[in-house]
Amino acid sequence: MSKKYTDEYEVGYNPRLVMEEAARCLLCHDAPCSLSCPAGTDPAKFIRSVRFRNFKGAAETVRVNNILGAICARVCPTERYCQQGCSRSGIDKPIDIGRIQRFVTDFEDATKMKVLEAKPSVGKKVAVVGSGPSGLSVAANLALSGVEVTIFEKEARAGGYLRNGIPEYRLPNEIVDKEIARIKKLGVKIETSHPVESLDSLKKEFDAVVVAVGMSKGKMLPMFDGKRNVKIAVDFLKMVKRKKGEVKLPDNILVVGGGDVAMDVVTTLKLLGVKQVTDVVYETFEEFKASKKELQGAQEQGVTIIDGYVPVSVKGKTVKFAHRNIQSELKIKADMIILAVGQYTEAAMLGLEVNKKQEVVEDNYKVKDNVFVVGDIAHGEKTVVYGVRSGKEVAALVKKSLGVK
Amino acid sequence: MVKKDLSIKFLGVNFPNPFCLSSSPVGNDYDMCKKAYDVGWGGVVFKTIGPKSYVINEVSPRFDAVTKEAEPFVGFKNMEQIAEHSLEENLRDLARLKKEYPNQVLIASIMGNSEETWEDLARKVTEAGADMIEMNLSCPQMTSHAMGSDVGTNPELCKKYCQAVKRGSKLPMMAKMTPNITDMVPVAKACLEGGADGIAAINTIKSICNIDLDKKIGLPIVNGKSSISGYSGKAVKPVALRFIQQMRVAMPKLEISGIGGIETWEDAAEFILVGARTLQVTTAIMQYGYRIVEDMKNGLMHYMEEQHVNHLEELVGKANKNIIPAEELDRDYIVYPSIDDNKCVGCGRCYISCYDGAHQAMEWNEEKRRPTCNHDKCVGCHLCALVCPVGAISKGEIVLKKTAKPGRNIKDIRL
């Protein structure tokens, strides 16, 4: 095991430090942080509970509002959501809400709290296709109301991108396992190694079907297609995570792309000991897509990041780039090239209409009678916390259509 | 670099600066006091020396602290009694300290359990070379009811013991008061009548700091039980200042050594302003070490410079006349809060506190996230200013109440 890769990069708080951070919170009236959490996790309330030393109450708030509380605590780009409006920024810097949430959910785990309890069965059955964040969220929220939910997952283990994509140093699989175990305790059945090829039989067997297949496939750029030593970012991250970082890599790797996936790839490479990691990004720093925190993490690891360039040709191991706005060319020779240039969905294989943005054509998550989509393939932002949110929203819609209270 | 003369005379003894260790674990033996002198403390009150017959046997553990959020010591609880070393060892340490540090002040704290032992201890510490005696009439955790704060609440007994000490020694002597009493003045007066030259105040407050919620035992736990014992630290400063003020009002010339939660030069200056001439510290030393005296001395010098004062003497008791009975305060006006929108960070704490804890005068603009004060409802209590995390609320417009005495002029009001 590569310890640098498997150990959580950010150190958690101890009770003293979490109090120190909670004491910085201004305990706002009508708090901006809570107003801007997509999942409605209500940070103002759980931070106030911490401040008044009610750690268990804090854990209840997180868990009731966010079924993936321990995961969001680690992976959420908080600077874009809750921390963005933090009033404390007017004094110095925002409260580290993610880390407080991590303390709270770790406390929940350490004290073996059981916050949620599912209602008895109401005799309705729902199938969920895919066990990523939005699939888990919709399943758990339905199960809480007494709906019998079965998740169908094509991989051998549940979790989708949480398990296969986000690197171990940001989100250990142990945390994913624990969150899934909590959801299973609510009565959700997960059929793993069970790919779904058509929705027809599910529609017959279940009262409703929710498709949560995400955008699990990484895009290939035509000029790189069929070239040796070219890898797709999501496949690479999956392989590294499965092998717990035990992989052999060359010393000089080029990454193309500037989203969160690209940041995960470059940071992973550095943590695995790759000497030269060069990341060429289409966007300029002004337009950067990745979370600032992840960008900063990559820079701290010593990744060379070059912004504003598009690849124009490949010859052997050398890739030629041109700047988007100025007259400038760039040639980079590397032993391996990893493409992190976006993902696409396989939802069309299920007979669903997919648009240019790789979203399924839907109306408020509804595709047709009792078929819904959720998560990345539905409208909205493509983050875990949005998956939790759309899971909640779709659960409410499904319940309404099935007449479940 | 600021340089000011911090020396001050107290009970006729010249202190190089007013900062002293108080009689406690921080002045337990020669080595500790030596280190304190070397770091720059002006005086040491050596840990209270008791009669030979009284055997000290301490518990383990013996401290506890009240915390708030991440603040580890808001208040501190201590169960130690008086010096554990033998009388001979203590006297030897006193003699050695005085010999090696002739210019710094050495105060012997003593505690007898009878007139004879008080007199005898006074004689012995005088022979050992102490500059001054402090009578410990106030330790709240003694295992004998003939000693400590049980004595200190009894004016007759205090007077008798003061007389005994004065029979044993001609050294200047201060009596250390217990705050576990409604009015300290009668005891202080009795001590002065008995021959005390000054007063030290306050000793610790009887307390229970915390209860272990699982075990249902106070802290610290000593084999499944706990006891009430003395509370000190920042939390007790207001109580100390109040007792000192009351004694100074009753006895304006009284010389006092101030004790109770002194941690910074500002605390020190406050004690001086209510009438203390010297200052004694323990809890802050236990938490941070003797080195804290550096910033207390330097900070006090800067304060003196700001106040255009060359001798500490000039500051002693300067606040006494400005602290008056509540019935004598001016009740003719209201001063409204003034809100600085640029400093405001929009947290809304003033709004919450005004609504839930005051008079619902603060109004909240949800969109702009800014408060405004409704003068029709505002009573001028300034709770809003106290809860504001950024100091955006200050004192603004003054208006006379309808009930104000005729002929009042707003210009005469000092805020």
Side-chain angles (χ1 to χ4, degrees):
Chain A
M1 268 202 306
S2 163
K3 252 187 100 56
K4 264 191 169 175
Y5 172 78
T6 52
D7 284 357
E8 277 195 83
Y9 189 68
E10 192 174 77
V11 182
Y13 283 134
N14 60 32
R16 239 191 77 80
L17 290 175
V18 81
M19 286 308 295
E20 213 164 278
E21 190 62 10
R24 286 180 63 238
C25 174
L26 303 180
L27 307 175
C28 293
H29 169 67
D30 195 19
C33 55
S34 286
L35 295 174
S36 51
C37 173
T41 314
D42 205 352
K45 185 162 166 59
F46 74 71
I47 296 171
R48 178 150 49 89
S49 293
V50 170
R51 161 68 180 70
F52 292 101
R53 300 197 55 80
N54 181 12
F55 296 164
K56 287 195 171 176
E60 284 176 348
T61 298
V62 174
R63 189 54 67 190
V64 164
N65 294 319
N66 187 335
I67 194 69
L68 299 180
I71 290 173
C72 281
R74 289 166 166 83
V75 305
C76 194
T78 46
E79 90 267 2
R80 250 189 265 163
Y81 300 124
C82 53
Q83 286 178 202
Q84 192 178 40
C86 179
S87 300
R88 181 81 206 195
S89 309
I91 303 174
D92 42 27
K93 56 177 195 222
I95 306 302
D96 193 341
I97 298 174
R99 220 191 300 196
I100 294 180
Q101 185 171 325
R102 177 172 154 194
F103 173 86
V104 167
T105 50
D106 284 352
F107 183 87
E108 173 199 28
D109 178 53
T111 56
K112 300 189 170 62
M113 286 177 71
K114 192 174 177 237
V115 177
L116 300 175
E117 207 146 342
K119 284 188 190 153
S121 172
V122 292
K124 297 284 182 187
K125 287 163 70 183
V126 170
V128 175
V129 185
S131 64
S134 64
L136 291 170
S137 172
V138 72
N141 282 290
L142 286 169
L144 281 169
S145 299
V147 175
E148 292 172 35
V149 184
T150 306
I151 299 180
F152 297 96
E153 168 56 51
K154 65 177 191 246
E155 300 283 343
R157 300 187 71 187
Y161 195 70
L162 302 171
R163 178 174 308 280
N164 300 313
I166 303 175
E168 194 76 6
Y169 63 87
R170 277 217 290 144
L171 180 62
N173 270 339
E174 187 197 345
I175 301 296
V176 179
D177 290 337
K178 283 176 175 171
E179 296 277 57
I180 291 174
R182 280 188 199 100
I183 291 168
K184 280 185 172 170
K185 277 206 180 118
L186 300 174
V188 172
K189 286 192 208 105
I190 305 183
E191 300 280 348
T192 51
S193 305
H194 193 129
V196 172
E197 268 133 32
S198 148
L199 299 180
D200 294 340
S201 61
L202 292 181
K203 279 197 278 187
K204 272 181 216 152
E205 202 188 324
F206 292 88
D207 298 301
V209 179
V210 182
V211 181
V213 294
M215 298 189 191
S216 58
K217 290 283 170 191
K219 281 187 192 158
M220 168 60 81
L221 296 175
M223 74 182 86
F224 293 97
D225 206 4
K227 295 265 193 288
R228 280 204 312 142
N229 286 331
V230 171
K231 305 223 178 295
I232 299 296
V234 288
D235 302 336
F236 174 77
L237 290 174
K238 184 173 168 182
M239 183 269 294
V240 174
K241 207 169 182 192
R242 191 168 293 163
K243 295 188 173 171
K244 293 192 184 283
E246 283 298 304
V247 289
K248 254 189 103 84
L249 294 165
D251 282 340
N252 174 14
I253 299 180
L254 169 66
V255 179
V256 181
D260 286 319
V261 172
M263 292 304 108
D264 281 347
V265 170
V266 294
T267 307
T268 297
L269 291 173
K270 285 309 277 188
L271 293 174
L272 293 177
V274 175
K275 282 195 189 120
Q276 178 60 51
V277 179
T278 313
D279 184 21
V280 181
V281 184
Y282 175 87
E283 291 83 14
T284 58
F285 279 121
E286 277 180 330
E287 318 157 313
F288 222 69
K289 282 202 274 193
S291 114
K292 275 195 189 111
K293 200 169 142 192
E294 301 314 323
L295 169 63
Q296 203 187 339
Q299 284 170 329
E300 275 169 16
Q301 290 301 322
V303 176
T304 304
I305 300 178
I306 304 167
D307 65 327
Y309 283 85
V310 244
V312 289
S313 64
V314 197
K315 203 171 182 185
K317 289 183 169 182
T318 305
V319 184
K320 203 162 100 181
F321 295 88
H323 198 279
R324 282 167 52 218
N325 308 326
I326 53 170
Q327 279 281 330
S328 171
E329 271 188 4
L330 191 68
K331 271 187 195 168
I332 295 172
K333 191 176 171 188
D335 298 321
M336 185 189 272
I337 298 161
I338 301 177
L339 299 180
V341 293
Q343 282 127 256
Y344 63 95
T345 181
E346 291 182 308
M349 284 166 58
L350 296 171
L352 300 169
E353 191 187 337
V354 175
N355 67 18
K356 259 185 160 173
K357 284 160 75 187
Q358 291 298 310
E359 287 172 358
V360 171
V361 177
E362 38 102 355
D363 179 17
N364 191 27
Y365 302 113
K366 194 167 172 178
V367 180
K368 50 193 150 187
D369 282 348
N370 291 340
V371 176
F372 299 83
V373 289
V374 71
D376 286 356
I377 56 167
H379 64 276
E381 294 180 34
K382 315 303 176 199
T383 53
V384 174
V385 71
Y386 250 83
V388 173
R389 174 208 183 107
S390 61
K392 279 164 102 170
E393 289 174 342
V394 172
L397 291 169
V398 171
K399 274 166 38 183
K400 200 176 161 198
S401 87
L402 300 183
V404 176
K405 282 196 175 163
Chain B
M1 283 292 286
V2 67
K3 194 71 207 157
K4 286 278 179 186
D5 181 7
L6 289 177
S7 71
I8 192 157
K9 243 189 172 98
F10 175 58
L11 309 184
V13 177
N14 198 40
F15 285 68
N17 67 63
F19 297 103
C20 305
L21 310 189
S22 44
S23 157
S24 74
V26 300
N28 192 38
D29 62 15
Y30 165 83
D31 286 332
M32 294 176 85
C33 297
K34 174 183 162 51
K35 185 179 173 194
Y37 280 142
D38 288 341
V39 175
W41 291 79
V44 160
V45 186
F46 197 86
K47 193 171 184 187
T48 305
I49 300 169
K52 206 167 182 163
S53 60
Y54 185 73
V55 180
I56 294 292
N57 184 12
E58 300 289 11
V59 294
S60 164
R62 59 189 73 160
F63 305 126
D64 189 29
V66 171
T67 62
K68 186 166 159 54
E69 291 104 55
E71 201 51 59
F73 280 34
V74 172
F76 182 74
K77 177 179 149 115
N78 169 14
M79 300 199 66
E80 272 195 27
Q81 305 176 80
I82 56 177
E84 253 181 310
H85 300 296
S86 71
L87 180 59
E88 292 72 29
E89 283 173 299
N90 288 327
L91 294 172
R92 202 174 54 220
D93 280 358
L94 287 179
R96 193 171 163 200
L97 284 166
K98 191 64 239 175
K99 195 171 156 221
E100 292 176 22
Y101 295 90
N103 298 323
Q104 276 146 305
V105 181
L106 180 62
I107 301 160
S109 172
I110 58 171
M111 185 194 288
N113 49 9
S114 64
E115 287 184 66
E116 294 72 42
T117 49
W118 278 106
E119 184 180 332
D120 182 53
L121 286 167
R123 187 172 298 117
K124 287 200 163 87
V125 297
T126 307
E127 285 163 7
D131 298 306
M132 190 182 286
I133 292 173
E134 179 178 276
M135 288 178 66
N136 184 340
L137 297 162
S138 43
C139 176
Q141 56 249 16
M142 298 304 294
T143 53
S144 158
H145 294 290
M147 300 167 88
S149 61
D150 288 343
V151 174
T153 49
N154 180 337
E156 283 311 304
L157 210 49
C158 287
K159 182 177 172 182
K160 218 163 65 174
Y161 289 158
C162 286
Q163 287 166 335
V165 167
K166 277 293 173 181
R167 283 197 295 276
S169 170
K170 299 286 166 255
L171 287 178
M173 182 272 278
M174 56 179 157
K176 185 168 174 179
M177 300 286 104
T178 174
N180 300 297
I181 190 167
T182 314
D183 185 359
M184 204 173 270
V185 172
V187 179
K189 278 187 172 163
C191 289
L192 297 181
E193 282 165 24
D197 303 290
I199 295 293
I202 59 173
N203 205 317
T204 55
I205 302 173
K206 289 185 183 182
S207 71
I208 297 169
C209 279
N210 297 289
I211 309 276
D212 184 300
L213 297 179
D214 290 323
K215 296 173 183 157
K216 287 128 191 121
I217 309 168
L219 294 176
I221 297 170
V222 180
N223 189 18
K225 302 286 179 195
S226 74
S227 286
I228 287 170
S229 76
Y231 189 52
S232 62
K234 198 85 169 186
V236 313
K237 186 189 80 172
V239 179
L241 292 176
R242 160 239 165 170
F243 276 123
I244 293 172
Q245 168 72 12
Q246 287 176 321
M247 287 191 288
R248 288 277 296 184
V249 169
M251 298 163 276
K253 296 234 163 101
L254 180 64
E255 292 199 14
I256 295 171
S257 186
I259 316 166
I262 299 171
E263 206 171 277
T264 66
W265 66 269
E266 288 167 314
D267 300 326
E270 289 173 330
F271 274 82
I272 292 168
L273 292 172
V274 295
R277 300 180 75 84
T278 59
L279 308 158
Q280 300 185 27
V281 183
T282 283
T283 310
I285 297 174
M286 293 184 79
Q287 192 176 6
Y288 301 110
Y290 297 125
R291 59 192 173 166
I292 59 168
V293 78
E294 294 164 8
D295 286 302
M296 293 202 287
K297 280 160 66 176
N298 186 259
L300 196 54
M301 286 181 195
H302 281 290
Y303 175 64
M304 288 168 72
E305 186 153 279
E306 285 158 20
Q307 296 294 313
H308 310 293
V309 158
N310 287 320
H311 301 283
L312 266 189
E313 180 76 47
E314 298 167 52
L315 293 169
V316 175
K318 276 285 181 281
N320 287 137
K321 68 174 188 332
N322 297 326
I323 299 166
I324 60 174
E327 62 270 25
E328 291 173 25
L329 289 174
D330 185 351
R331 290 167 191 269
D332 278 352
Y333 70 93
I334 290 177
V335 52
Y336 292 115
S338 160
I339 302 162
D340 183 339
D341 269 357
N342 292 323
K343 274 192 192 170
C344 175
V345 291
C347 70
R349 289 287 296 278
C350 53
Y351 166 75
I352 294 176
S353 285
C354 185
Y355 201 100
D356 298 0
H359 294 79
Q360 301 81 47
M362 209 54 97
E363 286 164 7
W364 181 248
N365 183 322
E366 262 181 46
E367 240 163 75
K368 291 185 186 157
R369 295 195 67 86
R370 286 292 179 273
T372 43
C373 177
N374 178 349
H375 285 196
D376 293 339
K377 287 183 174 175
C378 180
V379 299
C381 72
H382 287 259
L383 175 63
C384 51
L386 285 172
V387 298
C388 177
V390 289
I393 302 178
S394 55
K395 297 191 188 85
E397 189 193 350
I398 304 173
V399 295
L400 287 171
K401 291 181 187 165
K402 284 192 189 116
T403 53
K405 286 178 278 300
R408 291 294 316 257
N409 191 339
I410 285 171
K411 284 186 188 133
D412 299 334
I413 294 167
R414 292 184 304 148
L415 292 179

